[in-house]
Amino acid sequence: MARRPFVAGNWKMHGSSASNQALLAAALADGKRCAGVDVAVCVPFPYLAQAAGALQGSGTGLGAQDVSEHASGAYTGEVSSAMLADLGCTHVIVGHSERRSLHGESDALVARKFVRAMASTLKPILCVGETLAEREAGQTEAVVLRQLQAVVQTTSPERWAHAVLAYEPVWAIGTGRTASAQDAQAVHARLRAALATWGAPADAIRIVYGGSVKPGNAGELFSMPDIDGGLIGGASLVADDFSAICDAAQRTH
Ligand code: PGA
């Protein structure tokens, strides 16, 4: 099945009202130029309104980088899925490795956040990935399947068509090291097979790769049959690089 490629920028904790303007204008142009590619940017909470204004009415999606597991209430500092949808978000990242490792997010908490996003209009971008130690111990498959299964078993898998899965090997994030296209493809194929086994519409679900994707390696990664685009950190902060990666997604699909 032909899946539309998905390319999302993850700005992490970078940006300012002034510097965001050029990046948002470029992302808007990327979304228009790259017909057939779904482009989105995931910006820090304080800039969601600015980004929503800049991207309004365009095809470029807007994502947050995290969401509360709770619907509303006395949860100081938390942001609900309803608030994100209200601000115009289309997507939200759930379970990024930095949330898992630096903020102690467990598989179970990630699953609850995913369910919360699904209950609103947001499309969750669920991140899974192994650490270097886990890879070297031959545990890559076991780790990513455990992380995925924790989420699958708390949701109705048949509702997954709009979810995006991101395979992000932790050792490749922000390090300049990338999984080889073949290694990434093998993990993506395994994840897709598992989704099918669990009753999810596996052929329709975009599985994107993240971890030091740059203009120079995007084409090779995206030409793999089960790699449907990318979640882009560092390179999404350089407008020309992000544009080149969006172009690569269009060229290879
Ligand atoms: P990177 O980050 O592209 O800078 O490696 C990817 C991510 O963390 O989503």
Side-chain angles (χ1 to χ4, degrees), residues 98-112:
E98 287 148 20
R99 301 292 320 167
R100 292 178 190 262
S101 66
L102 303 174
H103 300 271
E105 293 197 6
S106 64
D107 291 347
L109 175 59
V110 171
R112 291 196 296 276

Side-chain angles (χ1 to χ4, degrees), residues 24-25 27-32 39 41 51-62 90:
L24 291 167
L28 183 130
D30 293 334
K32 284 202 178 121
V39 176
V41 283
L55 301 175
Q56 195 175 23
S58 77
T60 300
L62 174 61
T90 50

Side-chain angles (χ1 to χ4, degrees), residues 10 12 96-98 168 172-175 210-214 231-235:
N10 174 9
K12 308 193 179 184
H96 189 279
S97 74
E98 287 148 20
E168 298 207 309
I173 295 177
T175 58
S212 298
V213 178
K214 307 284 178 215
L231 183 56
I232 319 299

Side-chain angles (χ1 to χ4, degrees), residues 66-69 94 105 109-117:
D66 187 25
V67 64
S68 174
E69 66 174 302
V94 177
E105 293 197 6
L109 175 59
V110 171
R112 291 196 296 276
K113 291 184 171 194
F114 183 95
V115 169
R116 192 59 75 185

Side-chain angles (χ1 to χ4, degrees), residues 4 46 53 131 143 157 194 205:
R4 276 173 76 88
T131 63
V143 169
I205 297 172

